[in-house]
Amino acid sequence: TIWRKGVIAYENATIETIIQLIEEVYQVHLVAGTPADPTQRFTGAFRRTQTLESVIEQTEKLTAIPLSLQRP
């Protein structure tokens, strides 16, 4: 990941890595709606100022994997 000018970027990352990154930044717990293919890799970025909802939506579009918040 790259933290620069408020941008959080990932390169060649698995969905698990992306989920962990989002969880760390937003202090939430996410669950993938479908089993992840460990061979799939993704590259993308989001701004620290983006809402959690917009980051989830962006990630779902990139990966085609539905994500949901898991409440404690």
Side-chain angles (χ1 to χ4, degrees):
T1 63
I2 301 170
W3 297 73
R4 173 178 31 148
K5 297 183 182 177
V7 175
I8 295 93
Y10 48 90
E11 185 174 330
N12 199 32
T14 64
I15 187 63
E16 290 87 1
T17 300
I18 298 167
I19 288 173
Q20 289 173 352
L21 180 60
I22 295 169
E23 289 176 335
E24 179 182 314
V25 171
Y26 290 93
Q27 297 297 299
V28 296
H29 184 69
L30 294 176
V31 176
T34 58
D37 177 350
T39 64
Q40 281 189 302
R41 301 280 192 239
F42 306 96
T43 297
F46 59 92
R47 294 194 174 279
R48 180 68 176 96
T49 56
Q50 280 182 256
T51 64
L52 173 61
E53 292 77 16
S54 71
V55 172
I56 290 173
E57 183 178 317
Q58 175 183 325
T59 304
E60 289 175 330
K61 285 180 183 176
L62 173 68
T63 64
I65 297 171
L67 301 175
S68 60
L69 284 172
Q70 184 172 16
R71 303 288 180 194

